[in-house]
Amino acid sequence: MGVGDDMNKEIKKQLILSFVLLTFVVATLFFWYQNFIFHTYGEKVDYQYCLYAQNEEWQIAGYEFYQKGKTQGYGHARLTPLQPQLLKKNDEMTVTLHLKNHQPFIQTIKIQNDNQVLLLENQTGQNIFSEKDLQNVQLQIEVKRQKKSIYNQTLSMQKQDIMTYTSANKDYTLTNVYVTENWLKTGVFSSKDTKLAQKYPYMIVDYMYSTEQNQEVDINDYERFVYLKGKTEDFLNDQVEGIGYYDGQGSLFDMQLCCVITLMKSEDDLNPYTFTLPLNPIQKGES
């Protein structure tokens, strides 16, 4: 009987120990689940394309086609005149995009200044674009001066390679930052802190680039590329977005990119909470 009692006691000890270990594992998984979800979740963007063209007179950068959730859009391009007197104040410029399987997209712009750099408006609608639609895209530019056509040329648009960048620490993430060699579309900021907007109602996001290939982020080596400021709630709801165009030497693909996040208790907060999120590419493909 003594031996049997000892065996029963040992079995009970093993069962209790197993139960304690199981409880510990389950509790750990429970408390870390939200953190796991926070760092592995990424918003799905149905597609993102970016087109570019240049001839002797014009540079067209960042003409995008995208679907994000239920929203389809196109435009946002920057048109830079490369020749003097190409545009004069009060000229009328018509930009017509021709692409396969779609009606032409037309925008008319009244020129406000000589040699004005133009930013096309972002257009949204029901059009869904595929890679086949973008295989032979033509952009026609016509300039009228005093109702007389003085320029009418068509440029062939080329799809650019796109990289998707992301960043995260234990409390914050930045996802869906889209980058070509000379263009950047800002991403989606999120936080594990559900009361962040109450603690810090305002915030600034600076997108930075550096040609230095340092392992550690030294903010003094970086140049500001895109500046966004607004209400924290709007950032968290993905309602703040910006586009940046890079005109320097080299490619953004070869540079270090990062974001400086500034959280503020008021718009003129003299002691904000500031931290850096280095951006890293997670995907490369033809846009």
Side-chain angles (χ1 to χ4, degrees):
M1 293 294 292
V3 175
D5 290 341
D6 290 341
M7 290 182 64
N8 288 335
K9 289 180 180 179
E10 186 64 28
I11 291 172
K12 288 180 180 179
K13 287 181 181 179
Q14 294 295 330
L15 289 173
I16 292 172
L17 179 60
S18 298
F19 178 76
V20 170
L21 290 174
L22 179 62
T23 302
F24 175 77
V25 171
V26 171
T28 301
L29 290 174
F30 175 79
F31 287 114
W32 280 92
Y33 177 74
Q34 292 299 325
N35 189 62
F36 172 77
I37 291 296
F38 176 71
H39 285 294
T40 56
Y41 173 74
E43 289 194 12
K44 180 180 181 296
V45 176
D46 296 79
Y47 58 77
Q48 176 73 54
Y49 303 111
C50 187
L51 279 68
Y52 177 90
Q54 183 169 333
N55 62 12
E56 293 182 355
E57 293 89 17
W58 291 97
Q59 180 195 71
I60 295 94
Y63 203 116
E64 65 167 336
F65 297 84
Y66 67 91
Q67 180 175 359
K68 186 175 183 179
K70 297 181 180 180
T71 302
Q72 293 88 28
Y74 61 93
H76 258 167
R78 185 188 68 174
L79 280 66
T80 304
L82 303 178
Q83 298 293 336
Q85 305 303 311
L86 191 59
L87 292 178
K88 287 189 175 182
K89 184 178 180 180
N90 296 322
D91 285 352
E92 184 178 271
M93 179 173 169
T94 301
V95 179
T96 305
L97 189 79
H98 302 274
L99 68 163
K100 188 177 180 181
N101 300 324
H102 292 273
Q103 294 293 322
F105 301 122
I106 303 172
Q107 295 187 50
T108 301
I109 304 165
K110 187 76 170 181
I111 304 304
Q112 304 298 319
N113 301 290
D114 292 358
N115 298 320
Q116 180 180 343
V117 175
L118 305 167
L119 295 175
L120 296 184
E121 294 181 358
N122 179 51
Q123 306 286 325
T124 58
Q126 300 301 314
N127 297 289
I128 297 177
F129 305 97
S130 68
E131 286 199 47
K132 290 183 178 180
D133 296 331
L134 305 180
Q135 287 179 352
N136 186 26
V137 180
Q138 305 290 319
L139 190 73
Q140 180 183 358
I141 299 175
E142 182 179 15
V143 179
K144 289 184 178 181
R145 186 167 297 159
Q146 297 178 350
K147 298 184 178 180
K148 181 181 179 181
S149 180
I150 63 165
Y151 182 91
N152 193 341
Q153 295 290 331
T154 300
L155 291 80
S156 294
M157 304 289 288
Q158 303 296 323
K159 287 189 298 178
Q160 292 185 284
D161 284 348
I162 276 186
M163 279 189 177
T164 305
Y165 283 70
T166 188
S167 186
N169 61 23
K170 65 184 182 66
D171 296 313
Y172 308 99
T173 64
L174 196 61
T175 58
N176 292 343
V177 180
Y178 291 98
V179 180
T180 73
E181 62 182 0
N182 55 10
W183 171 90
L184 179 146
K185 183 176 183 179
T186 61
V188 182
F189 175 79
S190 57
S191 172
K192 191 172 66 173
D193 186 351
T194 58
K195 296 183 179 180
L196 183 69
Q198 298 176 25
K199 298 175 183 176
Y200 299 100
Y202 301 94
M203 65 181 291
I204 296 171
V205 180
D206 287 303
Y207 284 78
M208 317 281 283
Y209 70 86
S210 173
T211 57
E212 301 292 333
Q213 296 298 319
N214 297 326
Q215 294 296 322
E216 298 294 331
V217 174
D218 184 347
I219 204 63
N220 294 318
D221 294 334
Y222 283 75
E223 298 287 340
R224 187 163 73 182
F225 187 41
V226 182
Y227 172 83
L228 299 175
K229 182 178 181 180
K231 293 183 178 181
T232 302
E233 184 177 3
D234 292 338
F235 277 94
L236 293 172
N237 290 329
D238 192 18
Q239 295 177 355
V240 183
E241 184 179 271
I243 298 290
Y245 305 91
Y246 175 68
D247 297 315
Q249 297 294 319
S251 167
L252 289 175
F253 291 154
D254 300 325
M255 300 180 188
Q256 292 193 72
L257 304 178
C258 78
C259 279
V260 177
I261 311 295
T262 304
L263 300 174
M264 301 177 292
K265 294 180 179 179
S266 64
E267 288 190 88
D268 55 354
D269 191 348
L270 298 179
N271 296 292
Y273 174 48
T274 302
F275 59 94
T276 301
L277 290 175
L279 290 168
N280 299 298
I282 60 172
Q283 179 182 350
K284 181 177 180 180
E286 195 174 72
S287 64

